Amino acid sequence: MTSILRAQATHFCLANEIIQIPEDPVTHLPRRLFLKNTLATAVLVGVGSAGLFRPGWALAAEWPKDAFAAKQLDEAIRAVFGPGAPSPSTAVKLRVPTQAENSAQVQIQVLAEMPNVEAIAVFVEKNPSPLVAHASFSGAEGYFSARMKMGQTSDVVAVVKAGGKLYSAKQNVKVTVGGCGG
């Protein structure tokens, strides 16, 4: 009789401990959400295994492979825009710091104050691959902003295509590794 009471007391203690443990909202997944996620995953796996997803469909834009593979600035500009050299223009405003303390995150802004801007491209002359970015526009203002990585102190060149002609702006950016003025 005593052993039965002890067993019941232990059972109640275990039941109380289980009930009193607070549920962790991160690890506790409600059943409906779990079933919903499982069903969604099963549908994606089924569609993917049936061959309905193809990598070509995911990449809707055309990748300028030759431009990113180019090793020289002129070669990269030619690969992006075709033959023809850009002419310097004051209508292309290039905003980059003259000295970049962190070469992994150099803020750049390109503003093209001209009508019919078709494309803007940014190049870093001494990067292993000079083409940093290329954006095409259709009926939008000629403004581009991004952060880029620079390997060393170099000229940054922005090339704007507007009205079928190429315009450019250039500025030298001094890279200081770790902000120590290297």
Side-chain angles (χ1 to χ4, degrees):
M1 181 72 174
T2 308
S3 64
I4 294 173
L5 289 176
R6 283 187 187 160
Q8 287 179 347
T10 306
H11 181 69
F12 283 123
C13 287
L14 289 175
N16 285 341
E17 288 177 8
I18 291 173
I19 291 172
Q20 291 176 358
I21 294 174
E23 293 180 3
D24 185 6
V26 175
T27 58
H28 176 72
L29 193 61
R31 191 171 86 187
R32 288 185 183 197
L33 183 61
F34 173 75
L35 292 173
K36 183 177 146 186
N37 289 343
T38 303
L39 180 64
T41 303
V43 168
L44 285 176
V45 169
V47 169
S49 65
L52 297 177
F53 286 138
R54 293 186 184 163
W57 294 359
L59 300 173
E62 191 172 314
W63 179 255
K65 184 178 179 182
D66 294 337
F68 280 106
K71 301 296 179 198
Q72 299 295 322
L73 178 63
D74 294 337
E75 183 183 339
I77 292 174
R78 201 174 321 111
V80 172
F81 293 110
S87 58
S89 173
T90 57
V92 178
K93 308 289 184 196
L94 177 62
R95 294 183 186 148
V96 290
T98 54
Q99 183 171 353
E101 293 181 5
N102 184 0
S103 65
Q105 295 184 2
V106 180
Q107 180 73 37
I108 183 170
Q109 292 178 344
V110 179
L111 177 64
E113 297 174 339
M114 55 186 67
N116 301 325
V117 174
E118 300 168 25
I120 294 176
V122 178
F123 302 90
V124 176
E125 188 173 4
K126 292 186 181 175
N127 271 5
S129 177
L131 178 61
V132 173
H134 176 246
S136 297
F137 300 94
S138 176
E141 290 185 26
Y143 177 77
F144 179 78
S145 178
R147 291 180 184 201
M148 63 181 181
K149 185 174 184 179
M150 294 183 64
Q152 58 183 314
T153 299
S154 175
D155 285 338
V156 175
V157 180
V159 178
V160 175
K161 183 176 183 181
K165 297 181 180 177
L166 297 178
Y167 303 95
S168 68
K170 181 183 355 180
Q171 182 176 330
N172 187 277
V173 177
K174 182 179 179 183
V175 172
T176 57
V177 178
C180 297

